């Protein structure tokens, strides 16, 4: 039986994407060779990379002033590449909004490069909300935020208006909702949350912000290296890039971001309505900051209900809803590929628990 996969990452992918990826591993476009045993310089793979770069920009409505890159090292390496490329060598100063563990990790990396101002933090309330009243100091090299806090189930539903360059970690909600992507100067995402398999990291960067900070940057960590090399300065993770492309095509063929946004909204509404209605459960994030991707919720009385609830959802084929150890309870991740029916199955388990108690 196919499971209802609510895993926080690596994520569920559409069945047709898995089928296409499996096919390409056996025989890539009728070449009689596997995708993973050909040269990445083969024109068939170069075409894959070109399409992955152009389609990602197209889906976000970004123009030629941006470069799309497919890199390695995860979102975690971006935590260092960003200050390396954007923070001035002399009197470098960046502003960070601290909304979760990933945002904190990003901020800590930046501190190795210059002065960092934390404009606001929700750490004292275990990151259960997004701070909204803060000022970005003038003259900073950039402002960094995390659009969706995967572990805590919060999401930024508005972004500050600022003259500072905007840098955003969109690892767990990229391509999930319509946004003014052009208001950001650099967007990055580890692919394995909402784009594709692990092993590749997506970056969209406004080209004119690069090459200006006066630092000597190691070749592999310099965005301009990868722009010039068209994401093939060194051997790219071909399988991850190809599977990501299949997923981007799936998104485009179904109607793009506006289509998936409506679907994501329907899923999140269905689950949060049940969390709020069902007297046995409560949500852990502040309602106005709830994430449409990762819904975190708790049982009000764990000792009375946890074992029954756990066996109910396991029997129903639900997987991946255990909460992160720092929050406890449950976390249902509803990435793009998760069908509404899977959310209905989980909601039915919650209703069944209420009926039995
Ligand atoms: C998972 C995650 C990361 C870390 O991604 P890696 O690719 O594993 O380095 C960073 N930021 C956010 C928001 C995440 O969800």
């Amino acid at each position: 039986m196919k499971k209802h996969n609510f895993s926080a990452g690596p994520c569920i992918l559409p069945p047709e994407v898995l089928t296409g990826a499996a096919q390409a591993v056996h025989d890539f476009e009728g070449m009689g060779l596997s995708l993973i045993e050909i040269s990445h310089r083969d024109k068939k793979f170069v075409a894959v990379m070109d399409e992955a770069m152009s389609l990602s920009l197209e889906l976000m409505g970004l123009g030629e002033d941006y470069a799309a890159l497919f890199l390695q090292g995860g979102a975690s390496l971006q935590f260092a590449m960003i200050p390396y490329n954007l923070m001035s060598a002399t009197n470098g100063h960046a502003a960070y909004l601290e909304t979760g563990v990933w945002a904190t990790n990003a901020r800590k990396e930046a501190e190795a490069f210059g002065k960092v101002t934390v404009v606001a933090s929700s750490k004292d309330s275990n990151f259960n909300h997004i701070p909204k009243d803060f000022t970005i100091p003038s003259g900073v090299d950039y402002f960094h935020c995390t659009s969706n806090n995967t572990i805590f189930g919060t999401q930024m539903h508005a972004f500050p208006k600022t003259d500072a360059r905007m840098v955003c970690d969109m690892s767990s909600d990229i391509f999930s909702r319509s946004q003014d992507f052009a208001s950001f100067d650099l967007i990055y995402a580890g692919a394995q949350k909402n784009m594709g398999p692990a092993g590749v990291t997506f970056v969209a960067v406004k080209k004119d912000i690069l090459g200006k900070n006066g630092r000597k940057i190691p070749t592999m960590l310099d965005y301009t290296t990868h722009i010039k090399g068209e994401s093939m300065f060194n051997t790219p993770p071909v399988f991850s890039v190809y599977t990501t492309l299949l997923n981007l095509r799936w998104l485009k063929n179904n109607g793009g971001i506006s289509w998936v946004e409506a679907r994501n909204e329907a899923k999140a509404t269905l689950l949060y309505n049940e969390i709020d209605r069902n007297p046995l459960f409560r949500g852990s994030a502040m309602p106005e900051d709830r994430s449409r991707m990762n819904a975190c919720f708790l049982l009000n009385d764990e000792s009375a209900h946890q074992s029954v609830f756990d066996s109910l959802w396991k029997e129903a084929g639900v997987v991946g809803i255990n909460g992160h150890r720092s929050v406890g309870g449950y976390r249902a991740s509803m990435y793009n590929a998760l069908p509404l029916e899977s959310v209905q199955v989980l909601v039915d388990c919650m209703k069944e628990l209420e009926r039995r108690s």
Side-chain angles (χ1 to χ4, degrees):
M1 179 178 89
K2 181 76 184 159
K3 304 286 187 186
H4 300 285
N5 185 1
F6 289 87
S7 173
C11 66
I12 180 173
L13 291 168
E16 50 268 58
V17 168
L18 299 178
T19 307
Q23 167 62 38
V25 168
H26 285 287
D27 182 3
F28 182 46
E29 295 186 352
M31 292 176 79
L33 291 165
S34 168
L35 166 71
I36 57 174
E37 59 178 10
I38 61 167
S39 167
H40 57 289
R41 306 281 174 203
D42 188 288
K43 65 178 189 312
K44 279 195 191 287
F45 185 76
V46 173
V48 166
M49 185 61 96
D50 285 348
E51 185 183 344
M53 294 189 295
S54 61
L55 183 51
S56 47
L57 293 180
E58 178 192 323
L59 285 164
M60 295 194 294
L62 293 174
E64 290 196 341
D65 44 340
Y66 284 81
L69 298 172
F70 286 88
L71 306 177
Q72 298 185 65
S76 299
L77 185 59
Q78 294 308 306
F79 298 164
M81 275 179 80
I82 287 156
Y84 229 141
N85 284 263
L86 301 184
M87 209 192 276
S88 301
T90 44
N91 300 322
H93 185 191
Y96 277 69
L97 178 62
E98 203 167 85
T99 53
V101 167
W102 298 117
T104 304
N105 291 354
R107 184 262 297 165
K108 285 183 183 158
E109 271 316 83
E111 284 170 350
F113 295 87
K115 179 176 166 187
V116 172
T117 299
V118 176
V119 295
S121 172
S122 45
K123 185 166 194 261
D124 289 347
S125 50
N126 202 27
F127 299 118
N128 72 350
H129 69 284
I130 306 280
K132 290 171 200 78
D133 289 323
F134 56 83
T135 320
I136 299 169
S138 65
V140 290
D141 292 313
Y142 63 89
F143 166 72
H144 179 281
C145 58
T146 309
S147 57
N148 185 72
N149 299 283
T150 326
I151 294 174
F152 304 93
T154 63
Q155 189 172 29
M156 295 178 75
H157 297 297
F159 292 87
K161 301 259 171 294
T162 169
D163 294 336
R165 293 168 183 154
M166 289 275 286
V167 175
C168 190
D169 177 356
M170 295 195 187
S171 291
S172 51
D173 69 352
I174 193 161
F175 298 116
S176 72
R177 55 175 173 171
S178 332
Q179 264 174 287
D180 179 12
F181 291 102
S183 64
F184 298 92
D185 297 275
L186 192 151
I187 293 164
Y188 66 102
Q192 71 278 8
K193 302 281 169 42
N194 203 31
M195 273 187 94
V200 71
T201 308
F202 175 70
V203 175
V205 57
K206 204 168 188 178
K207 288 181 270 188
D208 70 8
I209 69 171
L210 300 174
K212 294 179 175 165
N213 72 343
R215 276 182 208 275
K216 173 95 187 79
I217 306 168
T219 311
M220 274 295 284
L221 301 183
D222 188 341
Y223 291 118
T224 59
T225 301
H226 299 288
I227 294 175
K228 271 188 224 127
E230 299 182 319
S231 297
M232 295 225 241
F233 172 75
N234 70 324
T235 317
V238 293
F239 176 79
S240 301
V241 173
Y242 182 68
T243 307
T244 298
L245 171 61
L246 295 181
N247 198 33
L248 293 172
R249 283 186 190 154
W250 170 84
L251 183 55
K252 178 177 172 166
N253 294 340
N254 278 294
I257 292 181
S258 58
W259 164 77
V260 90
E261 178 176 39
R263 182 176 139 114
N264 288 337
E265 221 171 280
K267 290 183 286 183
T269 302
L270 178 60
L271 182 54
Y272 283 119
N273 281 350
E274 179 61 16
I275 291 169
D276 292 339
R277 184 209 64 79
N278 192 318
L280 304 187
F281 294 94
R282 69 178 192 280
S284 61
M286 297 290 265
E288 74 269 20
D289 298 324
R290 281 173 169 176
S291 165
R292 289 189 196 131
M293 293 279 96
N294 316 92
C296 294
F297 57 101
L298 303 152
L299 279 163
N300 287 320
D301 185 347
E302 286 194 349
S303 57
H305 297 126
Q306 186 177 353
S307 64
V308 181
F309 183 54
D310 287 355
S311 48
L312 278 172
W313 57 261
K314 282 174 191 163
E315 276 161 32
V318 167
V319 296
I321 65 162
N322 287 318
H324 190 272
R325 60 190 179 281
S326 56
V327 184
Y330 301 95
R331 168 175 54 169
S333 298
M334 300 173 281
Y335 296 122
N336 284 355
L338 186 83
L340 183 67
E341 299 75 65
S342 291
V343 180
Q344 188 62 57
V345 167
L346 175 58
V347 164
D348 290 346
C349 293
M350 296 165 77
K351 289 188 197 295
E352 178 62 18
L353 181 71
E354 183 190 21
R355 202 186 60 77
R356 289 198 195 176
S357 63

